[in-house]
Amino acid sequence: MPELPEVETVKRTLEQLVTGKTIEEVVVSWPRMVKRPDDAGAFADMLKGETFQSIGRRGKFLLFHLDTWTLVSHLRMEGRYGLFQTDEEVDKHTHVRFRFKDGEELRYRDVRKFGTMHLFERGEELQNLPLSHLGVEPFTDAFTPVHLREKLLRTTRFIKSALLDQTVLAGLGNIYVDEALFLAGIHPERKANTITEEEAVKLHGAIYKTLKEAVEQGGSSIKSYVNGQGEMGMFQQSLFVYGKTGQTCKKCGTEVERSVVGGRGTHTCPVCQPS
């Protein structure tokens, strides 16, 4: 599933591709993706004549700001956007098409059909689900070591499970939680409420550093992720532990281990992250 760096990269490329374009028609071939309104025909009608003013992001969600509406889109496991000529062949996994007046169209492709789209009047999107429950953004002033520790002290879950909780911190997923915990030297099965002030400072720095570098490199192309222009991310070349099972740790040379924590595949160096 694309995480904050991947979604931020998609957002930045879509800003270049569709800002200023006016929708002439919307074609929805898989109505279940449209969650609000609960009628795909109404969704399409509401977007006719609207112009993309800007693209935003909240956690793992894309926010398409139009004249009247904000379209909130979640890519889920394998969703992706791309800009095409209207007369180009349509892939069978393309489920939503935003046709523009200039002869191009933005297509949403999703092999698993798990992606979601919600339409809100502009300004109302942050007060309603699915965005209203999200925690702070890692790149904002609200994300501090003190805030992070306060959130973690409230739960007895494993710290990895707590960090994956989008109400604790928006945008983190399996890849970057594993990486940040490694850099902070914290075992993923530590109870979240045992985090010390010093560890919270290290973890805060590790989260920020990992996400910042991942954004700068266009995210991590694990499995099928590409950005809005079809380009792969490169951060996977900088990963320390995620997907490195059986390989030697870059810091100490110990073999990286894989386990399951909270139902998620987890990668750990047993020396750098003592239990």
Side-chain angles (χ1 to χ4, degrees):
M1 177 186 295
E3 303 179 30
L4 186 154
E6 290 76 49
V7 179
E8 177 65 23
T9 302
V10 172
K11 172 216 152 188
R12 294 181 182 186
T13 56
L14 288 177
E15 280 180 324
Q16 302 172 33
L17 295 175
V18 303
T19 300
K21 289 184 179 291
T22 299
I23 299 172
E24 188 171 55
E25 182 183 16
V26 178
V27 179
V28 181
S29 57
W30 188 256
R32 294 183 191 176
M33 284 184 175
V34 178
K35 304 300 182 182
R36 188 179 192 274
D38 59 2
D39 180 273
F43 173 85
D45 289 340
M46 292 160 70
L47 289 172
K48 285 183 181 178
E50 292 279 308
T51 299
F52 286 101
Q53 299 295 335
S54 62
I55 314 295
R57 179 194 55 76
R58 180 74 172 95
K60 302 178 187 179
F61 292 85
L62 288 167
L63 281 62
F64 296 87
H65 299 296
L66 298 111
D67 300 317
T68 309
W69 311 101
T70 294
L71 171 61
V72 178
S73 171
H74 199 300
L75 303 176
R76 297 295 177 184
M77 297 297 294
E78 296 190 13
R80 65 173 68 172
Y81 284 95
L83 191 66
F84 297 82
Q85 294 296 317
T86 301
D87 58 2
E88 287 186 64
E89 183 178 354
V90 179
D91 182 277
K92 68 177 181 179
H93 297 299
T94 297
H95 306 301
V96 184
R97 300 159 64 191
F98 302 87
R99 293 179 176 174
F100 302 128
K101 290 184 176 181
D102 62 3
E104 294 183 319
E105 61 183 40
L106 180 67
R107 296 177 183 176
Y108 178 73
R109 182 180 185 275
D110 193 336
V111 174
R112 299 195 181 188
K113 302 178 181 177
F114 289 165
T116 60
M117 296 185 184
H118 293 74
L119 199 59
F120 298 95
E121 288 191 29
R122 283 194 66 166
E124 294 186 356
E125 64 275 5
L126 297 179
Q127 285 73 51
N128 293 276
L129 292 174
L131 301 182
S132 59
H133 75 295
L134 295 178
V136 301
E137 288 282 328
F139 294 142
T140 63
D141 292 341
F143 178 54
T144 65
V146 172
H147 176 85
L148 177 61
R149 185 166 184 255
E150 286 177 349
K151 284 286 188 178
L152 294 175
L153 289 178
R154 295 175 186 175
T155 178
T156 60
R157 291 175 293 176
F158 293 140
I159 196 166
K160 172 164 184 175
S161 298
L163 291 173
L164 288 173
D165 183 344
Q166 298 301 291
T167 67
V168 172
L169 188 62
L172 280 180
N174 211 35
I175 297 172
Y176 301 110
V177 168
D178 278 7
E179 291 295 301
L181 287 173
F182 170 79
L183 290 180
I186 298 172
H187 195 277
E189 290 185 331
R190 272 278 301 279
K191 292 293 183 68
N193 65 344
T194 67
I195 191 86
T196 66
E197 290 185 19
E198 181 180 358
E199 289 172 327
V201 170
K202 289 181 180 179
L203 181 57
H204 173 273
I207 291 170
Y208 184 86
K209 178 178 185 294
T210 300
L211 292 177
K212 183 176 183 293
E213 292 181 357
V215 169
E216 290 173 350
Q217 296 186 48
S220 302
S221 283
I222 306 295
K223 296 184 179 179
S224 61
Y225 162 74
V226 293
N227 68 21
Q229 295 172 314
E231 301 166 337
M232 294 178 62
M234 300 305 293
F235 189 69
Q236 66 274 9
Q237 297 180 2
S238 302
L239 295 173
F240 285 96
V241 289
Y242 184 85
K244 304 294 184 181
T245 307
Q247 299 182 36
T248 55
C249 172
K250 295 179 181 180
K251 285 190 175 182
C252 71
T254 305
E255 187 173 293
V256 174
E257 298 178 349
R258 185 184 186 279
S259 61
V260 177
V261 178
R264 306 298 299 274
T266 301
H267 307 82
T268 313
C269 172
V271 172
C272 295
Q273 298 166 270
S275 55

